[in-house]
Amino acid sequence: MAEKRRSGPVMSDPKAAKCETDHEFLSQSGVSALLRGALLKLVESRSEDPIGFLAEHFGHLSSEVDDGGSENLTVSRSLWHLSLSHHSQRSAFNNNVRVAYELLTQSAPRRRRTGGVRGVVYTEVLRCLCSEGGLSGASAAPLLQCIQCHDYEAVPFELFRQGVLTCSVFADYIRKSQCLYAAVARAPDRPAERALCQAVLATLQEALETADGPDVARYLEASAKISPAKLAQAMAEARPPSQQQEGPTMDAQEFEDAAAALFIARVRKVT
Amino acid sequence: MSVEPVSCTIKSPVALQIGDTVSDLSRPGVYITDITLAEPVNIQEISFKNYYTAYLTVRVQQREDGSVKWVTCLRNHCLMANPHAEAGSHDYFSIYRQQDTEWDVPAWLSTLTPVETSLDLKGLPDPETVSSSIQQMWALTEIMQASQNAASIGRFDVDGSYDVKLLSYM
């Protein structure tokens, strides 16, 4: 590896010269800032593979330095940034969304660099986010239909952030609905009873439809509707213990689609 | 129905304290003011100017068919939000006959299942687990909705061709 040599007066004391050179070298080249940034990202993401994470991080940084990467590469780099933190880590998530947004806007050809991220790129990012979040194409399609925009349109930052957040939250929501189905089914090899599924989803829908008002009052009212006692009551009414035979069942996909519909009904369609 | 002031005699406040007034030097927290009316009358409104009283209780002596009884009309009505601060210490107050000190109990509170009723949960899924998942799903939907309310969707800029200073006929 070629070593950079400092051009300047030669110091009389070799030992002191070496220390100064090392220290100045680190600050001049910006390595200490680089390392600090890398460690900060690592701590934010709490990766299980720190070395792999750092390798990816520096790999992305070096390719970002070479200007004019292909658009696919830019999309994958911005997706990597978006994967660094969970949406619940609010400030880290917002920072990463900002970095991803800047990447995507700067990668566009100069004459088209106005207004925000190109619609086709935005849609691609959202689609990849959904699939990385474990959503199948069929599960993600209704959501994407709501929030994607035309290929030629330009997406400003706030809308970009909102779309990214919605996809991340939706992925978590679907995962939770799968856990919910498993809880209602009570056994992994048996489908859940339709009456119970419908009762459980109905309580969620009722909580979601809590009337507008002061936040605190709304939260209290909604949480009262989905308390364990309320659910026990709803389930007992849907399937009385006296009923010996098991009624019709609902499979996991149908349950997931019904739960997804409740979420997507509340997503504001982008117009 | 017109409201007319009623003449009354207001006695000076008497401290309510346990023990001998003379020997006990501690300052009490409760004072009682007696107001005597010349003749029995239906009181509609009591107006007064406060002077560092935090809570007010109003008791009325009612005469019914010869018997006399004391009725509490208002208990611990808050006049000063913080008894140690100045807010409300010199304010004017009016208390009306229909004064309702009870806060409106929300309708949903009454629908909560009482703890005493035990439900037969044999063969049903565990309500705690089900409730936990549903609560998280509800919270996630709330997060999504809250982010939507914050962001304002502005006009879409059609790729630079919509520039006020530069008309493009592309």
Side-chain angles (χ1 to χ4, degrees), chain B residues 10-136:
Chain B
I10 302 172
K11 297 184 186 160
S12 58
V14 172
L16 185 74
Q17 55 186 154
I18 303 164
D20 199 353
T21 325
V22 176
S23 59
D24 205 344
L25 294 171
S26 63
R27 297 251 304 266
V30 183
Y31 281 84
I32 298 183
T33 306
D34 273 327
I35 301 171
T36 320
L37 301 166
E39 55 180 20
V41 74
N42 270 334
I43 299 170
Q44 297 295 327
E45 179 187 334
I46 300 174
S47 301
F48 59 94
K49 184 176 179 197
N50 191 15
Y51 187 74
Y52 292 102
T53 299
Y55 299 97
L56 177 71
T57 298
V58 176
R59 303 195 78 210
V60 161
Q61 188 186 53
Q62 288 182 338
R63 289 185 193 175
E64 277 173 30
D65 306 324
S67 67
V68 167
K69 61 172 182 164
W70 282 96
V71 173
T72 305
C73 303
L74 204 63
R75 185 189 295 281
N76 288 337
H77 180 61
C78 182
L79 302 177
M80 288 168 64
N82 181 358
H84 306 292
E86 290 293 319
S89 57
H90 288 81
D91 284 0
Y92 290 89
F93 287 93
S94 282
I95 299 168
Y96 301 93
R97 191 185 183 84
Q98 302 303 327
Q99 184 93 21
D100 182 15
T101 55
E102 299 287 338
W103 52 283
D104 286 320
V105 177
W108 56 264
L109 260 184
S110 58
T111 65
L112 287 178
T113 316
V115 182
E116 298 83 36
T117 60
S118 57
L119 298 161
D120 186 1
L121 297 173
K122 198 167 63 173
L124 287 177
D126 175 31
E128 296 275 343
T129 321
V130 170
S131 172
S132 165
S133 291
I134 289 194
Q135 285 172 35
Q136 291 178 61

Side-chain angles (χ1 to χ4, degrees), chain A residues 104-150:
Chain A
L104 291 169
T105 48
Q106 279 162 21
S107 72
R110 201 166 280 274
R111 75 174 169 85
R112 295 164 101 182
R113 209 178 290 179
T114 50
V117 174
R118 279 172 53 227
V120 62
V121 173
Y122 172 67
T123 306
E124 178 64 19
V125 167
L126 292 183
R127 215 179 42 76
C128 293
L129 267 178
C130 286
S131 76
E132 276 178 22
L135 296 168
S136 68
S139 307
L143 176 70
L144 289 173
Q145 218 163 355
C146 265
I147 60 176
Q148 70 190 14
C149 59
H150 293 293

Side-chain angles (χ1 to χ4, degrees), chain A residues 153 162 176 186 221 226 268, chain B residues 108 123 131 136 148 151 156:
Chain A
E153 287 175 316
Q162 191 179 290
K176 272 293 142 216
R186 289 183 296 133
E221 192 175 340
I226 51 181
R268 187 160 57 172
Chain B
W108 56 264
S131 172
Q136 291 178 61
Q148 283 185 152
F156 279 22

